[in-house]
Amino acid sequence: MRVFKNLTRRCLSVVAITLVGMSPVVADDDIDISYEKFTMDNGLTVIVHEDRKAPVVAVAVWYKVGSKDEPEGKSGFAHLFEHLMFNGTENYDDEWFGALQEAGATGLNGTTSFDRTNYFQTVPTPALDRILWMESDRMGHLLGAVTQEKLDEQRGVVQNEKRQRGDQPYGAFLDHAVKALFPNEHPYSHNVIGSMEDLNSASLDDVKSWFNKYYGPNNAILVLSGDINADEAKPLVNKYFGDIEPGPSLSKWQSWIPTRTANTREIIQDKVPQTRISRLWVSPENMSPEATDLLIAASVLGDGKNSRMYKELVYDQQIATNASVFNYELQIASIFGLSVDVAPGADVKKVEREMDKIIQEFLRKGPTKDEVKLVSTKRRASIIRGLEEVGGFGGKADRLASGEFIAGDPTYFKTELKELASATPKKVKAAANEWLGDGWHQITFVPFAEHAATTEGVDRSSGLPTISAETQLSFPDVEKTTLSNGIEVVFAKRSTVPIVNVAVQFDAGYSADAGGKLGLANFATVMLDEGAGRYDALELAAELEKLGTRLNSGSNLDTTTVSMSMLKENMDDSLSLFGDILKKPTFDKEEIERQRALILSEIAQQKTRPVSIALTLLPPLIYGDDHAYGIPFTGSGTAEGVQSVTRSDLVDFKNTWLRPDNATVFVVGDTTLDEIKPVLEKEFGKWKASGEKGTKQIAQASMPEKGRAIIIDRPGSQQSLILAAHLAPPTGVDNNIAIMAMNETLGGAFTARVNMNLREDKGWAYGAYTFLQEARGQRPYMVYAPVQTDKTGASLLELKKELNGYLGDKPPTELELERARLDQVRSLPGQFETAGSVLSSLLSSSRFNRDYDYPESLVEKYNSLSLDDLNDAAKQVVQPDKLTWLIIGDAEKIKAEVEAANIGPVSVQSMSSL
């Protein structure tokens, strides 16, 4: 391999990257290492090289496991195991180095990388039996010696190593680099040493499972190099390794090179002596022929005093103190990077500009023939020096093992020599241009400035400062007018920025789907901006972008709203487009099928998400199948409904529901009613309805006699999602403020009883709440708690306790009421700060038949609340014994607990039936 770690004798760890390269421009038989390779019956690959110049044998064992093989939550396991495997075995439970020191071993160590773990040492020939016994004992007889005490001890050692590394200047570099270059799910997205949290969570069972999976002979390479030949080696290897059981079959990535097109930057303040600029690209894996070309590019740019970066920035301009470039080659992707240390007092921006010039010049012209030859000479010298030793870093055992590991060819270095020999400036330039363009990530370390606090500060002994005054809500005046065709226009002026927001609200919504094809309202709404008037979908999107206009459309249970946010200067043109979108949607057949596929994909996704599953299944259970609200609250409908929608259905929905006699126009922004009305009149005043207007009957649904529980079986689920519901009064009832305050104290806020119990006290849920979904008719009152599987039953009991307690022996307190009151009153000014929030308030007031200045009444309503109001609201709304409980989790593990919670009859439904 071209990349190794520079390790001291006792430091069994992952440290800074150094480049140890291969040789070039020589015939492939100019430098050779003779060897014999054989495979044991248990899968162990053995390579033997004879070199009798000294009575020593280098022994190297490479395991094909590194940090890339670690699953989520187990980062650092490969490196932790490197330590554990030096700490004694079942038959030699003692410090490894004592026995090796006694044997006179040299060049001994172990390393872990993203891809592999290896151990190596060179011993006198008479000590060969000892080292083979020891290596085979830790391969086949380790786990009996791994105790909790040893695990804790080595975990501490690794964590101290991590702290030591993090405390070094620029020590956080590799952590930040891999997180930026690779997505979270990529095997290289975490550093080799792992995280403190994952190391702390490692249990003995975790460690043993990890060893059994990856450290078998069939996932290992043994190299013997020196005073030995294959005939002598075979009986020894069979004697010591032959009885070790193989591990399981494994699957591994061969290549995964993330595509990055955007350049990203981060600045890290650290205790560093000077600014360091590092720029990084993802490059191809080490088996790619382009890896050799990029190695040459790296060397030309930044390997040695005559490299371009060093010579220009350090030697000639003296604006940097060091400059280096590397190509860190790995199995499934590599990292190409450069690093420049800015000289004290130098202009960082200038250094970066000069760095960019050098890179761009190289990309334009590539290397010269002399530069390629120079790289070849350096690589050849490097490999020749390394091959003097039978072991150690870069020695013959190491070279044979790395070749076998990378390519299944112990003399793979000869292939690399051929690639170097055939390299040309043209090929290097082509590779550089392919891989070193946009898509880089730059990390700039800057010295952390010394700061100091003042000697005096505020007196904090008296606690939190009191809030002595109340701010007043500033809600704009609301004006109304009517267009010539009867459409009402509601207007509020907000001139903070030159933006005008226009929304058209229709009395439609998801409930308009009732009795028909579920998902039609959503389908029709998303189609509005997929072509209108003379514009197709892409042309319409381009026109909106050109005007700086945002278009949004969507529905809730009761209404469908289409809105535009436009620059005042482009108001007329934007509203002209708005007119086309509402009056002349094309419902193009190709776009219909494109959107149908997207909606069906989303529905399929919803069937895998517990919350979406619950919001799909609950409404029919609490409202009944025939109720207008007994439809999926996700709004996307059902796959059957969406699949059956035709173009005619979409046109009919638009003509039935999205029509002028079913619409109200709302305007909030930097204009006046006199100014905008003529524009609205021009676009919408002559809009005529065709066909029959849609009607909805929001019936009164009845509550069940008693509660029930339905378990949606999700085998293997680590959590149980609890979502319960029953009917509650509509949003527009007179005492809605009391209902909302009651809910806030019970379960509607972070500090409410339900969350403080299940999250803060018990630690069983990330968050647990009660809430009411707004509706013009009866609305659902819901209880939400995603909890760990083994606490499902206990969580149900706690939820029942909180709900019943609020109604009984633990009613709301003055403190809870005051906290809710102050929260609502003091947050009002912030709630209506923007034009968008004012617009949302107007839309809500229209939906629930409130006065448009409704927010101005809220302070008085909240200030007049009493505990009796909250108690009355609780009795009106909260009915724990009539809840329908939907619990999504592993039925085998939770059914008995759910039944024991006594929340009603329990049934189980399979996920496959959804």
Side-chain angles (χ1 to χ4, degrees):
M1 293 175 68
R2 301 187 181 105
V3 182
F4 292 90
K5 293 183 294 295
N6 185 16
L7 299 168
T8 60
R9 179 182 171 90
R10 293 279 298 186
C11 180
L12 312 175
S13 58
V14 190
V15 294
I17 298 167
T18 58
L19 297 177
V20 179
M22 295 310 253
S23 164
V25 192
V26 288
D28 63 322
D29 56 356
D30 213 33
I31 298 174
D32 198 9
I33 307 174
S34 60
Y35 71 93
E36 289 190 48
K37 183 173 83 168
F38 57 92
T39 302
M40 305 280 290
D41 290 343
N42 60 6
L44 177 66
T45 299
V46 184
I47 300 166
V48 183
H49 163 67
E50 183 178 6
D51 181 345
R52 304 285 186 177
K53 71 174 181 294
V56 295
V57 180
V59 179
V61 179
W62 283 46
Y63 293 95
K64 302 174 186 179
V65 57
S67 63
K68 78 173 189 306
D69 302 296
E70 296 161 350
E72 184 178 357
K74 307 297 181 188
S75 68
F77 262 42
H79 181 234
L80 176 61
F81 237 94
E82 179 203 316
H83 284 251
L84 284 169
M85 290 177 75
F86 274 102
N87 226 230
T89 61
E90 294 169 3
N91 302 296
Y92 179 71
D93 195 4
D94 202 351
E95 176 68 32
W96 189 269
F97 289 97
L100 290 176
Q101 189 175 16
E102 182 181 284
T106 59
L108 60 104
N109 218 321
T111 73
T112 308
S113 78
F114 288 95
D115 296 323
R116 55 100 189 108
T117 304
N118 71 329
Y119 302 91
F120 54 93
Q121 52 272 305
T122 302
V123 297
T125 305
L128 180 59
D129 277 85
R130 169 174 287 196
I131 191 57
L132 291 177
W133 185 98
M134 294 177 73
E135 286 287 9
S136 61
D137 213 50
R138 67 175 166 189
M139 181 185 289
H141 307 278
L142 178 78
L143 291 182
V146 179
T147 63
Q148 187 67 50
E149 182 181 6
K150 281 186 182 180
L151 174 59
D152 293 341
E153 174 189 304
Q154 292 308 311
R155 176 173 24 222
V157 170
V158 172
Q159 289 177 331
N160 280 324
E161 179 184 349
K162 182 175 177 66
R163 293 185 190 99
Q164 176 180 316
R165 245 176 249 238
D167 216 28
Q168 297 298 312
Y170 316 107
F173 167 73
L174 197 54
D175 273 327
H176 287 267
V178 295
K179 286 178 182 177
L181 292 178
F182 300 103
N184 289 338
E185 64 274 16
H186 194 283
Y188 292 158
S189 63
H190 64 273
N191 202 349
V192 177
I193 203 165
S195 74
M196 288 290 193
E197 295 78 9
D198 289 354
L199 290 169
N200 280 330
S201 69
S203 68
L204 268 179
D205 288 340
D206 292 333
V207 164
K208 290 178 180 179
S209 296
W210 173 262
F211 179 82
N212 287 328
K213 184 173 184 179
Y214 288 110
Y215 293 82
N218 52 316
N219 199 41
I221 302 164
L222 169 66
V223 177
L224 303 176
S225 173
D227 188 20
I228 191 170
N229 61 32
D231 290 338
E232 296 164 341
K234 286 179 181 178
L236 286 172
V237 174
N238 188 62
K239 174 182 177 181
Y240 292 110
F241 292 87
D243 64 343
I244 300 174
E245 291 291 334
S249 59
L250 300 170
S251 61
K252 298 186 179 183
W253 287 97
Q254 286 188 309
S255 178
W256 183 357
I257 306 170
T259 300
R260 286 176 52 88
T261 56
N263 300 326
T264 53
R265 298 171 179 263
E266 64 179 311
I267 295 178
I268 302 172
Q269 292 183 336
D270 201 1
K271 295 177 181 178
V272 294
Q274 63 197 103
T275 297
R276 173 175 290 177
I277 303 170
S278 297
R279 186 173 293 179
L280 306 155
W281 291 261
V282 179
S283 57
E285 71 277 10
N286 53 16
M287 284 286 287
S288 167
E290 289 180 312
T292 299
D293 294 318
L294 290 173
L295 181 145
I296 296 171
S299 187
V300 170
L301 284 168
D303 182 16
K305 290 185 177 181
N306 283 305
S307 64
R308 295 191 183 188
M309 284 280 181
Y310 192 97
K311 186 175 184 300
E312 180 65 26
L313 302 180
V314 180
Y315 193 81
D316 290 345
Q317 296 195 42
Q318 299 182 36
I319 56 176
T321 59
N322 192 37
S324 61
V325 184
F326 62 86
N327 192 40
Y328 182 17
E329 294 182 24
L330 296 165
Q331 272 191 311
I332 59 178
S334 301
I335 302 173
F336 189 101
L338 59 88
S339 184
V340 177
D341 291 344
V342 179
D347 183 346
V348 176
K349 291 184 178 180
K350 179 181 178 181
V351 174
E352 186 174 333
R353 286 196 301 270
E354 295 300 320
M355 184 181 83
D356 284 334
K357 286 181 183 178
I358 296 168
I359 297 170
Q360 293 307 315
E361 176 72 9
F362 186 83
L363 294 178
R364 280 196 302 272
K365 296 183 177 179
T368 65
K369 289 183 179 179
D370 287 343
E371 286 174 322
V372 173
K373 184 177 180 181
L374 176 64
V375 173
S376 299
T377 302
K378 285 195 292 186
R379 299 302 179 192
R380 186 171 188 272
S382 174
I383 195 170
I384 290 173
R385 291 189 181 96
L387 294 180
E388 185 178 7
E389 292 186 78
V390 293
F393 284 112
K396 286 190 277 190
D398 192 52
R399 192 66 64 183
L400 292 166
S402 66
E404 176 66 22
F405 175 73
I406 293 171
D409 175 10
T411 57
Y412 179 64
F413 71 89
K414 296 172 73 174
T415 299
E416 295 175 301
L417 291 179
K418 287 180 180 178
E419 291 173 357
L420 283 160
S422 62
T424 64
K426 183 178 180 181
K427 288 169 62 179
V428 173
K429 177 178 178 292
N433 275 278
E434 180 176 355
W435 295 100
L436 307 184
D438 286 337
W440 48 258
H441 179 69
Q442 183 164 303
I443 301 172
T444 304
F445 280 89
V446 296
F448 182 63
E450 294 294 331
H451 301 285
T454 59
T455 56
E456 296 181 2
V458 68
D459 179 10
R460 301 181 185 276
S461 61
S462 57
L464 286 171
T466 59
I467 301 174
S468 57
E470 300 294 344
T471 54
Q472 298 299 313
L473 171 64
S474 176
F475 197 80
D477 293 334
V478 179
E479 301 176 70
K480 293 189 291 186
T481 189
T482 304
L483 301 182
S484 57
N485 60 351
I487 296 179
E488 183 180 50
V489 178
V490 180
F491 173 79
K493 184 175 179 63
R494 270 289 169 91
S495 302
T496 310
V497 291
I499 296 290
V500 178
N501 301 280
V502 179
V504 181
Q505 181 171 269
F506 301 92
D507 184 5
Y510 303 138
S511 57
D513 284 345
K517 298 178 178 180
L518 298 185
L520 178 58
N522 175 65
F523 203 154
T525 305
V526 299
M527 284 300 301
L528 293 178
D529 63 349
E530 298 302 324
R534 68 178 187 275
Y535 302 106
D536 64 23
L538 294 179
E539 290 169 342
L540 181 57
E543 197 68 18
L544 289 167
E545 289 177 356
K546 184 173 71 175
L547 294 170
T549 298
R550 292 182 181 176
L551 176 71
N552 288 293
S553 58
S555 296
N556 53 45
L557 277 174
D558 301 308
T559 65
T560 296
T561 303
V562 187
S563 63
M564 264 192 174
S565 176
M566 61 200 79
L567 295 171
K568 183 177 181 179
E569 63 193 73
N570 293 330
M571 185 173 70
D572 288 16
D573 290 338
S574 296
L575 286 173
S576 176
L577 278 180
F578 205 7
D580 284 346
I581 290 166
L582 290 178
K583 295 181 295 182
K584 306 174 185 176
T586 54
F587 295 115
D588 179 80
K589 290 183 179 180
E590 288 187 11
E591 294 299 336
I592 290 172
E593 295 311 313
R594 187 176 289 113
Q595 290 304 313
R596 191 196 311 273
L598 294 175
I599 297 170
L600 290 172
S601 175
E602 175 59 23
I603 292 173
Q605 289 288 331
Q606 290 169 2
K607 289 183 178 181
T608 67
R609 302 174 191 145
V611 171
S612 298
I613 294 170
L615 291 176
T616 299
L617 298 180
L618 260 178
L621 295 174
I622 61 174
Y623 286 102
D625 292 329
D626 297 330
H627 195 280
Y629 289 171
I631 57 176
F633 279 178
T634 58
S636 48
T638 63
E640 295 78 13
V642 172
Q643 196 68 261
S644 66
V645 168
T646 64
R647 184 180 185 278
S648 178
D649 292 329
L650 296 170
V651 173
D652 288 346
F653 184 91
K654 188 265 176 193
N655 291 334
T656 302
W657 297 100
L658 309 185
R659 48 192 286 149
D661 56 350
N662 197 38
T664 305
V665 177
F666 297 85
V667 181
V668 180
D670 185 24
T671 184
T672 65
L673 190 56
D674 289 341
E675 183 180 21
I676 198 169
K677 182 178 179 180
V679 188
L680 294 173
E681 179 67 34
K682 176 183 176 184
E683 295 303 328
F684 301 112
K686 296 180 181 179
W687 185 12
K688 295 181 180 179
S690 62
E692 188 175 339
K693 179 180 176 181
T695 58
K696 292 181 292 183
Q697 188 67 35
I698 310 298
Q700 184 75 14
S702 59
M703 297 276 277
E705 290 296 322
K706 60 180 180 178
R708 56 176 166 165
I710 301 168
I711 298 174
I712 305 298
D713 186 20
R714 197 166 182 253
S717 180
Q718 298 179 41
Q719 275 197 326
S720 296
L721 173 70
I722 299 170
L723 191 62
H726 63 53
L727 300 179
T731 303
V733 293
D734 292 339
N735 70 331
N736 187 59
I737 293 301
I739 291 174
M740 298 307 292
M742 175 278 297
N743 183 64
E744 182 169 348
T745 60
L746 174 56
F750 185 93
T751 56
R753 297 183 183 188
V754 169
N755 190 61
M756 295 304 285
N757 182 337
L758 291 187
R759 172 181 164 132
E760 297 299 289
D761 181 29
K762 303 295 190 306
W764 298 343
Y766 181 69
Y769 298 93
T770 61
F771 61 95
L772 294 108
Q773 179 158 331
E774 291 191 331
R776 189 176 285 166
Q778 289 164 292
R779 55 183 157 167
Y781 182 68
M782 295 189 176
V783 180
Y784 164 83
V787 300
Q788 60 194 68
T789 297
D790 61 344
K791 299 299 181 184
T792 304
S795 297
L796 291 170
L797 292 173
E798 290 298 320
L799 289 169
K800 281 178 58 180
K801 183 185 79 173
E802 294 295 350
L803 297 174
N804 286 315
Y806 198 93
L807 294 169
D809 59 354
K810 291 185 179 179
T813 65
E814 287 285 358
L815 178 62
E816 289 175 317
L817 171 57
E818 183 67 359
R819 183 187 293 139
R821 185 189 69 78
L822 291 176
D823 175 31
Q824 292 298 327
V825 170
R826 289 174 175 170
S827 65
L828 282 173
Q831 289 182 37
F832 301 106
E833 177 192 6
T834 66
S837 59
V838 172
L839 179 60
S840 295
S841 174
L842 297 178
L843 292 168
S844 179
S845 292
S846 176
R847 178 184 178 190
F848 301 118
N849 298 313
R850 295 168 175 158
D851 293 336
Y852 288 119
D853 61 356
Y854 175 74
E856 293 183 342
S857 69
L858 292 177
V859 172
E860 182 180 351
K861 288 177 185 292
Y862 274 108
N863 284 338
S864 64
L865 282 176
S866 67
L867 287 177
D868 287 341
D869 294 327
L870 267 62
N871 283 315
D872 290 344
K875 292 173 184 176
Q876 182 184 8
V877 173
V878 183
Q879 301 186 52
D881 294 335
K882 296 187 177 182
L883 282 165
T884 295
W885 299 82
L886 201 63
I887 304 164
I888 302 174
D890 192 327
E892 185 178 353
K893 295 178 180 178
I894 66 174
K895 184 182 179 185
E897 293 183 23
V898 175
E899 290 174 336
N902 195 28
I903 55 177
V906 179
S907 61
V908 179
Q909 185 175 338
S910 169
M911 284 280 290
S912 62
S913 65
L914 300 181

